[in-house]
Amino acid sequence: KDVQKEREPHVYLSKEEVKEKIQSYNSSVTDKLKMTLNANGIYTGFIKVQMELCRPITVQSSQSQGRCAPSSQETAFYLPDGCVNTLHISSTNTVREVIEALLKKFFVADNPAKFALYKRCHKEDQVYTCKLSDREHPLYLRLVAGPKTEMLSFVLREHETGEVMWEAFSIPELQNFLRILDKEENDQLQLLKNRYAAYRGKLEEALRGVLKPG
């Protein structure tokens, strides 16, 4: 169930309260992804982000990184469903910075503005998905909720705009989308041809049996 962003006040914790929460958090961790409190009060830790992308992403090769002009080394493809990535971040990192870091980690060339980070949580036997604002701090949310992803998890999606805003995509991205559609069309056409060829073969075999002398 998707709901509008909840207006939750950010509770500013004292350094001692943060320390206590981190100790409690780390005592419950089962995957060794613990948090660390630094002397300056900033803490670091890990979040897992599930990728739920409906459209293809454009990925750069390592040779084309850092170039401003579109490169022929960019490829568009669909991410598999349920793909989960782990990021090491700090308590000062915002949602927008997390999105940018996630895309950079996997050499995604798409504009970060196309994406949004959501939180998914369980309340009263229902699952709620809420879009996070760019200024929120995911690691703080993770700390408050605890390490169990059943209580809170993060999801990366495209912005929900109703219809696809194709004008937001670059020419190389659109060309890659067309190539993907052409390949999918050819694959489906070949499957259809193979199915009818097999059906034709069985009919011809049945006819030969019927027309066989004696």
Side-chain angles (χ1 to χ4, degrees):
K1 179 179 179 180
D2 288 1
V3 298
Q4 294 294 321
K5 175 69 189 72
E6 299 170 346
R7 301 299 178 187
E8 297 174 348
H10 185 105
V11 179
Y12 291 93
L13 305 174
S14 67
K15 187 174 180 180
E16 190 59 36
E17 289 174 322
V18 170
K19 183 178 179 180
E20 291 176 0
K21 280 191 171 294
I22 289 177
Q23 289 175 344
S24 175
Y25 182 97
N26 289 342
S27 67
S28 302
V29 166
T30 58
D31 54 11
K32 299 183 180 180
L33 301 181
K34 297 185 177 183
M35 293 194 188
T36 302
L37 178 62
N38 300 315
N40 58 6
I42 296 174
Y43 51 97
T44 59
F46 299 85
I47 62 169
K48 295 180 180 180
V49 181
Q50 184 169 345
M51 316 289 274
E52 291 186 356
L53 304 179
C54 300
R55 298 189 289 273
I57 58 171
T58 304
V59 177
Q60 293 179 324
S61 70
S62 57
Q63 290 83 2
S64 63
Q65 293 172 41
R67 299 178 184 174
C68 295
S71 170
S72 60
Q73 300 298 320
E74 294 181 352
T75 305
F77 65 91
Y78 288 94
L79 278 178
D81 291 336
C83 179
V84 177
N85 293 296
T86 302
L87 281 180
H88 186 247
I89 62 173
S90 82
S91 55
T92 62
N93 289 132
T94 62
V95 163
R96 179 51 47 189
E97 290 171 334
V98 165
I99 293 174
E100 292 172 354
L102 186 63
L103 299 180
K104 184 178 179 180
K105 179 179 180 181
F106 296 96
F107 309 129
V108 177
D110 297 89
N111 188 339
K114 297 177 183 177
F115 303 93
L117 192 67
Y118 292 75
K119 71 173 183 178
R120 181 176 290 156
C121 52
H122 290 249
K123 290 183 180 179
E124 299 175 355
D125 298 326
Q126 292 195 55
V127 179
Y128 294 86
T129 303
C130 306
K131 180 181 175 182
L132 298 174
S133 71
D134 287 348
R135 296 184 299 275
E136 291 191 77
H137 299 86
L139 195 62
Y140 168 80
L141 298 175
R142 179 80 278 160
L143 176 63
V144 172
K148 293 183 179 179
T149 54
E150 294 83 2
M151 298 301 297
L152 172 74
S153 59
F154 296 104
V155 180
L156 184 72
R157 293 178 177 175
E158 296 96 348
H159 273 295
E160 295 181 357
T161 56
E163 294 190 6
V164 179
M165 299 177 63
W166 295 112
E167 62 274 14
F169 294 86
S170 66
I171 296 299
E173 287 177 319
L174 294 173
Q175 291 172 338
N176 275 325
F177 295 162
L178 286 175
R179 282 193 286 269
I180 290 173
L181 289 174
D182 286 340
K183 183 180 184 303
E184 290 181 347
E185 182 181 9
N186 290 333
D187 290 344
Q188 291 298 319
L189 184 60
Q190 190 58 50
L191 286 173
L192 193 61
K193 288 181 177 179
N194 291 342
R195 185 187 306 167
Y196 278 94
Y199 185 55
R200 179 185 292 275
K202 290 180 179 179
L203 284 175
E204 291 175 346
E205 183 179 351
L207 282 172
R208 285 194 296 270
V210 171
L211 299 177
K212 188 176 181 181

